[in-house]
Amino acid sequence: MSLGSVLLVGCGKMGGAMARGWLKAGVEKIVIVEPYPAAIGDDLANHPKVTSAATIDALGVEIPSTVVLAVKPQMMAAALEQLAPKLSSGALVVTIAAGKVMEFYRQYLPKAALVRAMPNLPASIGKGISVAVASPEVTPAQKATAEALLKACGEVGWVPEEPLLDPVTALSGGGPAYVFNLVEAMAAAGVAAGLEADLAMRLARNTVAGSGALLDESELPAATLRENVCSPGGTTIEAIKILRAEPGLEELMTRAIGAASARATELGKL
């Protein structure tokens, strides 16, 4: 589908990744607002389909009816104050800022069609997943546009109610940190078993990265892939027995994600 023109407010790693994906998808025009011009990158700044300025007030062009907000949460209020008087009624506004609930945006944009999305860190290299929720004002066409915009950074899923973004934040938003922590733990275990630290970290990093790529390309469930590595009576099954013994990795992860989800709910009320 044609993406038309898009206003991107904030062009950091995530915003820049999205903009580059939109250009590949054939966007008509991108208007970028970024107070630090160096953050935009020469490839975007010099692209014929891109116009940029340091502030919304300095743009000097008509604001597109599709807006993506990718600024840091602490900068959001200032950005919305500039955007509000210039935005057309019923415009689509997609926000990827963490911790800001729709009620917050309604203070500034009472007539906008809002989509709140939670991407994760791999989205910054086009390999992430974003989960979104739409306000009642969002039309089917606008929802399709929002999905196309988010797909520039990877897969897209939807939840029917905003509170469900809290466990999404805990699972996929925080998920990369859990994986990186796994790499650290595997490397440390390798050192404890006698390996040099550099080799242990190299083995852990490449094993996790390669396993993720295999999981992505395979149609088999994760459980089947795990079982395929565990030969009966072999070495791996002994390690899995430890990981699955009480309290077990599954219980620990359930507690961890539950704690992160509860904190996301608390932050949304601040």
Side-chain angles (χ1 to χ4, degrees), residues 219-239:
E219 296 182 356
L220 295 174
T224 301
L225 292 173
R226 169 180 54 78
E227 292 166 357
N228 289 346
V229 184
C230 297
S231 302
T235 59
T236 306
I237 192 64
E238 294 304 312

Side-chain angles (χ1 to χ4, degrees), residues 83-169:
L83 177 63
K86 301 178 184 300
L87 192 67
S88 59
S89 179
L92 171 64
V93 177
V94 180
T95 173
I96 63 170
K100 296 295 185 184
V101 297
M102 285 192 181
E103 184 179 353
F104 168 82
Y105 296 95
R106 284 283 175 234
Q107 300 175 65
Y108 303 90
L109 309 174
K111 297 182 180 180
L114 294 173
V115 170
R116 183 184 164 205
M118 171 51 63
N120 61 3
L121 185 60
S124 65
I125 59 169
K127 295 183 179 294
I129 183 166
S130 300
V131 178
V133 62
S135 71
E137 297 83 3
V138 176
T139 67
Q142 287 176 322
K143 185 175 181 180
T145 297
E147 180 156 338
L149 292 169
L150 294 170
K151 276 188 175 179
C153 288
E155 295 295 318
V156 179
W158 293 86
V159 291
E161 300 175 349
E162 187 176 16
L164 291 174
L165 282 186
D166 292 337
V168 166
T169 299

Side-chain angles (χ1 to χ4, degrees), residues 37-268:
I40 298 176
D42 291 340
D43 60 326
L44 288 176
N46 298 323
H47 198 283
K49 290 186 176 182
V50 175
T51 300
S52 63
T55 66
I56 293 173
D57 290 336
L59 279 174
V61 297
E62 184 178 350
I63 299 295
S65 59
T66 299
V67 179
V68 175
L69 302 173
V71 301
K72 294 179 180 179
Q74 59 268 31
M75 300 171 60
M76 186 62 73
L80 291 173
E81 286 175 352
Q82 288 189 32
L83 177 63
K86 301 178 184 300
L87 192 67
S88 59
S89 179
L92 171 64
V93 177
V94 180
T95 173
I96 63 170
K100 296 295 185 184
V101 297
M102 285 192 181
E103 184 179 353
F104 168 82
Y105 296 95
R106 284 283 175 234
Q107 300 175 65
Y108 303 90
L109 309 174
K111 297 182 180 180
L114 294 173
V115 170
R116 183 184 164 205
M118 171 51 63
N120 61 3
L121 185 60
S124 65
I125 59 169
K127 295 183 179 294
I129 183 166
S130 300
V131 178
V133 62
S135 71
E137 297 83 3
V138 176
T139 67
Q142 287 176 322
K143 185 175 181 180
T145 297
E147 180 156 338
L149 292 169
L150 294 170
K151 276 188 175 179
C153 288
E155 295 295 318
V156 179
W158 293 86
V159 291
E161 300 175 349
E162 187 176 16
L164 291 174
L165 282 186
D166 292 337
V168 166
T169 299
L171 177 55
S172 62
Y178 316 150
V179 175
F180 301 149
N181 191 61
L182 173 64
V183 171
E184 293 177 281
M186 289 174 63
V191 171
L195 296 176
E196 292 292 331
D198 287 349
L199 177 59
M201 180 56 74
R202 182 182 173 193
L203 291 173
R205 288 179 65 114
N206 281 274
T207 297
V208 170
S211 299
L214 175 61
L215 183 65
D216 185 48
E217 292 186 11
S218 177
E219 296 182 356
L220 295 174
T224 301
L225 292 173
R226 169 180 54 78
E227 292 166 357
N228 289 346
V229 184
C230 297
S231 302
T235 59
T236 306
I237 192 64
E238 294 304 312
I240 292 296
K241 287 178 182 178
I242 299 297
L243 293 174
R244 296 174 75 86
E246 293 185 5
L249 181 60
E250 183 175 338
E251 181 179 334
L252 289 173
M253 190 61 70
T254 298
R255 287 167 51 193
I257 290 177
S261 180
R263 181 56 176 161
T265 301
E266 291 174 0
L267 291 174

